[in-house]
Amino acid sequence: MDFWNKRLREMIAQIVLLLYGAYGAAGEEVCDSPLVSNLLLSSFRSSSQLSSSHGPGFAKLNRREGAGGWSPLNSDRYQWLEVDLGRRTQLTAVATQGRYGSSDWLKAYLLMFSDTGHNWKQYRQEDSIGVFPGNSNADSVVQYKLQQPVVARYLRLVPLEWNPNGRIGLRLETYGCPYISDVVSLDGSGSLLYRWSPRLRQTTRETISLKFKTLRNSGILLHAQGWRDHSLVLELERGKLLLLLRQGRSSSPDPQRLVSLGSLLDDQHWHHVAVERISAHLNITVDRSTQQVQIPAEWEMDQLSVGADQSHVSQRPVFSSRNFHGCLENLRYNGLNLIDLAAHRDRRVTVAGNVTFSCSEPVSVAVTFTGSHSFLQLPGATEPSPGGVSVGLQFRTWNEAGLLLTFDLPKQDGVVWLYLSKARLQVQIHKAGRAPLELSAGSALNDGQWHSVELSAGRGRLSVTVDKQEGATAHGSLSFPVSTGSHIFFGGCPAEGSSQRCRNPFGVFQGCMRLLTLDNQPVDLIMVQQRLLGNYSHLQIDMCGIIDRCSASHCEHGGSCSQSWRTFHCNCSTSGYSGATCHSSIYEQSCEAYKHKGNTSGYYYIDVDGSGSIKPQLIYCNMTEEKTWMVIQHNNSELTRVQPSQGASQHSAHFLYASEEEQLAAIISQSESCEQELAYHCRKSRLLNTPEGSPLSWWVGGPGPGRVQTYWGGALPGSQQCACGLQDNCLDPRHYCNCDADHMEWANDSGLLTHKDTLPLRSLVLGDVQRPGSEAAYRVGPLRCHGDKNLWNAAFFDKETSYLHFPTFHGELSADISFLFKTTASSGVFLENLGIKDFIRIELNSSKEVLFSFDVGNGPLEVRVQASAPLDDDRWHRVRAERNVKEASLRVDELPAATQDAPADGHIHLQLNSQLFIGGTASRQKGFLGCIRTLQLNGVTLDLEERAKITPGVRPGCPGHCSSYGPLCRNQGRCVERPNGFSCDCGLSAYTGAFCQREVSGSFESGTSVRYAFEDPYEPSGNGSARPSSVRSDVTPRGENISLSFRTSQSPALLLYVNSHRGEYLALLVNKHDNLEVWFRLDSSGGAEVLRSSVRNLANGELHTLTVRRLADAVSVQIDQNTREHFNLTSDVEFNGIKSLALGRVFESDELDPELARLASLGFTGCLSAVHFNTISPLKAALLHPDTSPVTITGSLARSSCGSSSPANPYAETTHNLSGKRGGVMFGDQSGSVGSGQPLVNTMKTDSALIGGVIAVVIFVIVSALAITARFLYSRTFQSQEIKEVKPEDSPVFPFSSQADSQSVPTENQKEYFI
């Protein structure tokens, strides 16, 4: 009678649950019905119970029967409570409660799920968190909603922590609703074939979805046969799901792999697969990972085979190793239930082979070795077997090393070890008095796949086999018997102090094992779990807890992922990014940023969006002009002759750029301005013709495919004019372009395109090139952009209560934050963003410490950097913080980065919801006083200046850059403040360049003389303004500061000579013994004093640097790195009325001593560089400003690079081109390597340079001869210039230039600006 009452109650409970769930699904789609409260006592099991009144059946929420809940016999981590829900059910939440009226409750636990009561799977939140927080007392209920619902029949709860003043005590409830499914089981011979009806074939959208589970790591799930013999295959291979495409009758026997998704899919748990086709786009989802691929646009599916290759489908069983072996569930095509059709023998579905409509699952009990204390101990053989020892197992792991098993040799003082080393299987047998026996087999056994191992020893032979027929076997000879003794240990050894003898010199095994056999007898691991067989510690029995941390890899930007059991590692060496997950770019975001770091012109990798998705690109940075230019080349930037084409009325040209589309768009967007030269040279070839009507020529430019533009370089968009039309100076006032005058003489229309929304120029169409007598040529220059709108974007916070706010920062898995700050305050919050519990904050914690703190649900984590010097020094300091799933890091300036590892199994998502505060905080902590600049979050720059314009207490911009960047101005260069940046004034320096770092060198011959005249003190000054770079001669210095570099093989040789109106002079020379002499005659009535240096060999043709300083009568001389020498003068210490300074040959030698006069007449042969006398630079004035400086040059003076190891010619750095191939177009040579901070220079091979030089000489001779001939033949005068010759018959009198980049030819300026 009791039996029927129980059955009746069970049926009523199921009906109520079904009705409730159906109402929820039909009404509000609610799936939160209580599932445990109405279950029978027989539905509960546990590892043990304290007493009959503490049994598992009393563990129902809010019940007081029995002892008020479940408590096990022992309170340890090996206890569990299991609930059988009677059928597979969808679970959405779980609630726990302590044992009623007691001090027994759980503080933390794990949840396990299963369909069969075996092969448990741990539930993890965010794919990482496995621990659920429990209760704080015995009565309150703590409920957690599962982030992802689970479908299972069995639920198991494993206590991890409990009240330390009590024991384990539990009442629970789970919530959910019924789960209905259609299932089919395939054994490797069975399959289903679904054929389309003709009316269903014409569709542009298809969806296929299913679930599968299997123990096999390979097999075909789906084979879709399409039009023209195209086929798509979903196939398991090594536990991953591959999507393969075979296109028609392709010559290649191997299909194309489109995508690989998932990992460890052979774990006998359900996995969800969905395939959606929209025209030629295919979205494939495995569990929660989705990727999109392209398939042929003409794809049209005819039939779908399930579980086997379409070619294998027939009415009789066909076994194939590629067929699927496992269960499928809820297989649907466009909403059509194919399993239900097959079960009802629908004619559209053909069933072949052994197919059952239920899921028959083999029982395979695995054990997981979780950590350093894990081991499994089993009893060995009680008596030695005459056949020896045989041990078998299967394992899977990510670790390269670890002990698999070990046992002692009884009574023989020996030991056997089977272990992994460098992912190979190793066997060692050590026996006293004998040499160790070692065997090795297999390789790459740490790939996460199941590998079988068989170890056998007996009859004088030892063998170890890995993976049976597919693997390898190693053999060895034995001279003694082998038996397991009383115990055999797997995975590791008990802790030290244990009575069991076990030695493990190889490290513990972390991974899974199954199918253990001893002497060919299977080991019952469930008996081990019940403590009825052997012993164990820190094991998870009846489950494999392996996790693939590289599936859906957290390694960004193409970084390669590798892993161990506990963590993963990203190899970023070839990605261009750095950090634990290859998140942060190692390159700067603009040429301006490279220049700001002190670099010079050259090729650099530019990462325009930092840590964003756009790849770094190699770009030439021209830093020789006042502005810093990014130069992006295309496939034809030279002047190109238009050749008539038969049958074509127009000429068109298309331009492919060295940068990809998204890179171009980002560069143009973040630059302050961009330009591109567009030139048209014409003779009787019209260009636009008229602003009214359709133009004869046009071009296409702008983002994406671009738009048609009908204006020309130098004019305004939409004007249909050229530059001369805008300036009203065209050749024919009736037209708006010079070429539209249609003259027989050569003319041109050239100018710059400067409107960023029409750049870059992508194609060009010329419409009047086919008439008789028409000649034309065009040139489209490279795209040039300057300025970085992000680099100097700054805000000044002048109150502690002021702040800027921005939308919520979204950096759930990866967040990088970088900025510069300067302040005089010792503390303040730079940035803060809050969530409900999570937060992220960066602050100046003290004058020497920056603190980066955040919480993603694991508790606050702090990373600190301590500086050796104060950071509140009103100088710019850079902060870079990064947080990802693996670690958090903080770096300040160039100090070593501080890092903190993230918890191995912690929360990983940063969930924020408030506004982002800059310079202040929502929690009312002390705000920031000072400047913040270039603030970037995940590569996106926040516009601080724009927000500061409308925010009280915050001002846009920030002055005072020279306090930080003044040292960049070298060699007496002066830092000049600018509103956005700074410049280096090199007017008082002997050097030039952006930072006054480039030497100015000149090559002298014996007759070369450079005379610098000091201003006559008696000459009327007119308007009172002196000439540039002049110095009055009535100055009477009591000392000189002279520096220069020289290279010569001449001795004696005069280096420098200075004289006065009173017959006084100063001279530097190399004497005939190759020593330096300094001659002073500061008293016109006396003789010269000669100071002689002891440094020798100064005329050896090498570069020497000389510094001479005089203050009153004290003189010091330093040559190269030699010790400074000191001298004293006895004559007058004033140099009165300086007249002139001479380099090289001296023509005014009346007042000189005869010997010095003789040297002065010989001149100087060699190189002088960086000549500086007090505040003037005479050589620089002569070479760079001869027309505006008081210099007189006699003889030949050429600028050279002899003064330094780097070329003085500023364009020498651009003699190579960007290499890359896009659309079959080469963009030049790029040999050599490129670093993050060094320009790519001198990468042309010597042989190539030599050949190129010879060719250049030959071409020069030919062109010169042609030019002379042309000038003789034609009476009209042309300005002779070169052009790129397209064909040999081109006219040699084509009168315009073919400079490759006339807009980007570098020029030197005294100042270099940062904008």
Side-chain angles (χ1 to χ4, degrees), residues 561-582:
C561 180
S562 60
Q563 61 187 312
S564 63
W565 183 260
R566 286 293 185 187
T567 188
F568 68 93
H569 171 74
C570 296
N571 184 349
C572 312
S573 58
T574 60
S575 67
Y577 295 81
S578 64
T581 59
C582 311

Side-chain angles (χ1 to χ4, degrees), residues 297-313:
E298 67 273 13
W299 173 262
E300 185 178 308
M301 188 152 47
D302 293 329
Q303 62 184 29
L304 178 67
S305 173
V306 180
D309 191 321
Q310 177 268 342
S311 60
H312 291 160
V313 174

